[in-house]
Amino acid sequence: MYPYNVPPNKKKYNTQEKPKPDNELTPDKSFLEMLMVAIADELGDAEYYGELAAIAASAEDAEVIRGIQLDEQKHAKMFAEIYTVLTGETPKVSPKPHKITNNATQEYARNVFSELEAVEFYRKIYFAYVNLEIRDMIFEIITDEQAHAIKSNFLFAKNQK
C-alpha cells in the first residue's frame, strides 16, 4: 500500500492477503464508480505514453515521457489499492483507449489539457472522501498530474517550430 517508498515490512496493509473492507470507510457508489473511471483513465494513459515515447522527437523527450508513463502506472495502482481497501475486492477495469497521431508536438500540446482535465476530475474524488490516508494518496496523484501538464507544456514549447 501507499506510500511506495516505505519498506515492505512497514506497510499498513498486508498485500499478501485479500484485505477485508474497512468498516469505518463507507464510500457511496458514486465514489467507487469514480475510482473505476480513474483506474481506467490511468491505465489508458500509461499505454498512451508508452506509444508516445516511441514517436518522441528526441531521446530526451522520450525519457521525460517514460517518466510520466511510470507515474501513470503508479496512479492506476494507487487508485486500485484505494478501491481494494474500501471494498475488499480487486477492481476489474480495462484501460481507456487513446488515439495517437504521428505528430509528437501535437500530442504534447493535447496532453497539457488532458492532464489538467485529470486534475479537475481527481479533485472531485479528493473532496468526495474524508479519510486522510486516502486523501494524501489522491493529493499526490493530483500534484503528479499537474507536473505532467508542465512537462508536456515544456516538450511542446521545446519542439515548436
Side-chain angles (χ1 to χ4, degrees):
M1 181 78 189
Y2 173 85
Y4 292 105
N5 58 353
V6 175
N9 60 346
K10 299 279 185 182
K11 291 186 178 183
K12 180 176 179 180
Y13 299 102
N14 182 350
T15 57
Q16 301 303 317
E17 298 176 15
K18 183 175 179 182
K20 297 179 178 118
D22 188 334
N23 292 334
E24 294 177 17
L25 306 175
T26 55
D28 65 10
K29 186 176 179 183
S30 63
F31 181 79
L32 295 176
E33 289 170 357
M34 287 191 295
L35 286 177
M36 297 294 278
V37 168
I39 296 165
D41 284 348
E42 294 297 325
L43 290 171
D45 288 351
E47 288 179 359
Y48 164 79
Y49 281 112
E51 293 174 22
L52 183 57
I55 65 162
S58 70
E60 289 176 341
D61 291 1
E63 187 175 330
V64 171
I65 294 164
R66 279 192 284 279
I68 294 172
Q69 179 186 22
L70 291 173
D71 281 349
E72 301 294 2
Q73 291 169 343
K74 176 184 78 170
H75 299 163
K77 183 178 179 182
M78 291 169 76
F79 280 129
E81 287 181 8
I82 292 169
Y83 185 92
T84 301
V85 166
L86 296 178
T87 66
E89 300 173 5
T90 302
K92 292 172 181 52
V93 181
S94 297
K96 180 181 174 188
H98 291 280
K99 292 183 181 178
I100 190 167
T101 66
N102 283 331
N103 184 328
T105 303
Q106 189 177 39
E107 293 296 329
Y108 301 152
R110 186 176 73 97
N111 290 342
V112 173
F113 295 100
S114 176
E115 295 291 344
L116 292 174
E117 285 174 10
V119 168
E120 293 301 316
F121 180 62
Y122 298 157
R123 281 176 39 168
K124 290 176 186 175
I125 294 174
Y126 178 84
F127 288 119
Y129 211 72
V130 296
N131 177 283
L132 292 180
E133 183 178 3
I134 288 172
R135 287 184 79 167
D136 286 348
M137 292 172 73
I138 297 167
F139 185 78
E140 179 179 339
I141 293 169
I142 289 170
T143 58
D144 284 350
E145 297 293 344
Q146 290 170 328
H148 298 168
I150 293 166
K151 289 174 182 179
S152 294
N153 192 36
F154 167 76
L155 292 173
F156 173 73
K158 174 183 166 201
N159 290 284
Q160 189 64 31
K161 294 177 183 173

